[in-house]
Amino acid sequence: MVEVNGEVGNYGRFQMYEMGGDSTDDYFYIEVGESGNTTINTVDADGSDGNLGLQPDGDLNLRPGTGDININSSVSAKPSLLLKNSNTDAVAPELVFQKTQSGTDGDDLGSILFKGDDGSNNVETFAQILGEIQESDHLSEEGKLTLSVASHDAELQPGLIIASGNAEDEVDVTIGNGTTSFATIAGNA
């Protein structure tokens, strides 16, 4: 069964019930509100199994015009993002950050920010992983990866920098930040 309802002449909700039609307690609905804000919801009357699956034959493209993509939950240890590959070959799934304009030395290519509220409920970045272009010239491409943490005043400071060296196949690593930084290596000396 399908229902479309809303204000007279302004339909704002589309609702579809369980396939087979033997229950009106399990359904999904799409609501359109002010400014075109649209919500898709699933309802499982007996529990929390009202999953939503999208299975295109091709790519699934999300292209927000000006906004972000937000995944929210108030449940402990959720949301969780799973990249799952059931292929039997040796190639694993990928998380790709790609900047598609002509690269320039020092361009940021992608970052992962670890944010949380401080003791006064201010949102702060406590850690960051940043991938950059170190050298953009064709056939001389070099990369840089920096792991940073907030250091005493919420200012991010690099603690580990992995970057292309000054010779073919050389990679340089910088550990710590400043002459007073400590580097602890566990194990036998």
Side-chain angles (χ1 to χ4, degrees):
M1 177 172 75
V2 175
E3 286 182 14
V4 179
N5 53 48
E7 298 172 2
V8 176
N10 295 316
Y11 294 105
R13 180 169 167 142
F14 170 84
Q15 188 163 312
M16 182 177 279
Y17 293 88
E18 175 184 1
M19 192 166 38
D22 59 346
S23 171
T24 58
D25 295 334
D26 300 325
Y27 57 93
F28 91 98
Y29 61 93
I30 301 172
E31 285 186 332
V32 180
E34 290 186 35
S35 303
N37 293 327
T38 304
T39 305
I40 299 174
N41 294 288
T42 62
V43 176
D44 173 26
D46 294 330
S48 59
D49 293 329
N51 300 325
L52 176 65
L54 303 173
Q55 299 177 340
D57 284 338
D59 294 337
L60 174 61
N61 296 300
L62 302 175
R63 298 179 189 199
T66 58
D68 297 324
I69 297 173
N70 299 304
I71 303 172
N72 301 300
S73 176
S74 60
V75 177
S76 179
K78 300 294 180 187
S80 175
L81 180 62
L82 171 65
L83 303 178
K84 188 175 186 179
N85 181 340
S86 60
N87 198 334
T88 59
D89 64 18
V91 182
E94 298 176 335
L95 181 61
V96 177
F97 295 84
Q98 181 177 358
K99 192 171 181 181
T100 59
Q101 297 300 315
S102 294
T104 303
D105 297 357
D107 278 359
D108 294 350
L109 296 176
S111 65
I112 300 174
L113 304 176
F114 300 87
K115 294 185 176 237
D117 287 0
D118 66 11
S120 298
N121 292 323
N122 300 304
V123 177
E124 302 289 351
T125 301
F126 288 89
Q128 176 186 44
I129 301 171
L130 174 64
E132 303 173 73
I133 296 175
Q134 181 170 299
E135 173 58 59
S136 64
D137 289 346
H138 182 57
L139 300 179
S140 297
E141 296 89 344
E142 297 178 351
K144 180 178 177 183
L145 183 69
T146 304
L147 280 69
S148 300
V149 296
S151 179
H152 291 281
D153 60 357
E155 182 182 15
L156 289 175
Q157 296 296 332
L160 177 64
I161 301 172
I162 305 169
S164 176
N166 60 6
E168 174 68 19
D169 298 332
E170 179 183 294
V171 175
D172 293 335
V173 178
T174 303
I175 299 174
N177 187 52
T179 57
T180 58
S181 291
F182 287 98
T184 303
I185 300 173
N188 296 327

